[in-house]
């Protein structure tokens, strides 16, 4: 029953699990760990963004990051850490960064700075906040 504490009875968790199984043929324990953390966005068939909701989730996402993942964070204002999993081109990076800005302390229609930590040296980009329409289209909920 839903009150029993099993994550599989939670609608959001079940939708995330369905998305994971649909897009990944090789599911790992790490993939399952992500299901419990943050906000999830499907950016393409092979790319997913997980965006932390609080400090604990931000730290957990950073701990789960692999060298081929892209770690993103709000720069200059409080905001989420996010993990971009999968092959990311410049367009995907910009969409992911706009989502990071949206969940930062920048106003909903503002512009913010995002640190992209997969590149050496780190890169900081300025980008507009994602629209609610974009969020509704990409969020796994």
């Amino acid at each position: 029953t839903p009150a029993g504490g099993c994550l599989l009875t939670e609608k959001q968790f079940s939708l995330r699990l369905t998305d994971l199984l649909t897009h990944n043929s090789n599911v790992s324990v790490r993939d399952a760990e992500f299901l419990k953390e943050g906000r999830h966005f499907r950016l393409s068939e092979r790319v997913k963004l997980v965006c932390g909701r609080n400090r604990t989730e931000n730290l957990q996402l950073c701990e789960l990051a692999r060298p081929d993942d892209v770690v993103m964070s709000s720069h200059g204002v409080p905001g989420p850490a996010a993990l971009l999993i999968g092959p990311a081109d410049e367009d995907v990076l910009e969409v992911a960064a706009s989502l990071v800005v949206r969940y930062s302390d920048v106003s909903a229609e503002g512009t913010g700075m995002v640190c992209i930590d997969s590149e050496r040296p780190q890169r900081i980009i300025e980008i507009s906040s994602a629209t609610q329409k974009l969020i509704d289209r990409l969020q796994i909920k």
Side-chain angles (χ1 to χ4, degrees), residues 13 23 32 48 69 71 74 82 86 101 105-106 109 129 136 140:
F13 185 86
H23 293 93
K48 182 176 188 177
D69 295 330
V71 177
S74 178
V101 170
D105 283 355
V106 171
E109 286 125 24
S129 177
D136 292 341
I140 303 166

Side-chain angles (χ1 to χ4, degrees), residues 116-131:
I116 300 173
D117 198 12
S118 66
E119 303 171 4
R120 299 289 178 237
Q122 293 177 336
R123 178 168 62 132
I124 297 174
I125 62 171
E126 184 173 4
I127 194 147
S128 297
S129 177
T131 64

Side-chain angles (χ1 to χ4, degrees), residues 48-101:
K48 182 176 188 177
L49 179 75
V50 182
C51 194
R53 291 178 288 208
N54 55 47
R55 180 172 166 70
T56 302
E57 287 184 352
N58 291 345
L59 293 171
Q60 182 67 19
L61 290 175
C62 291
E63 286 177 17
L64 290 170
R66 289 185 180 156
D68 57 335
D69 295 330
V70 177
V71 177
M72 304 175 96
S73 59
S74 178
H75 182 75
V77 296
L83 197 58
L84 190 61
I85 305 161
D89 60 19
E90 195 62 30
D91 291 337
V92 169
L93 284 172
E94 287 181 6
V95 170
S98 75
L99 290 163
V100 171
V101 170

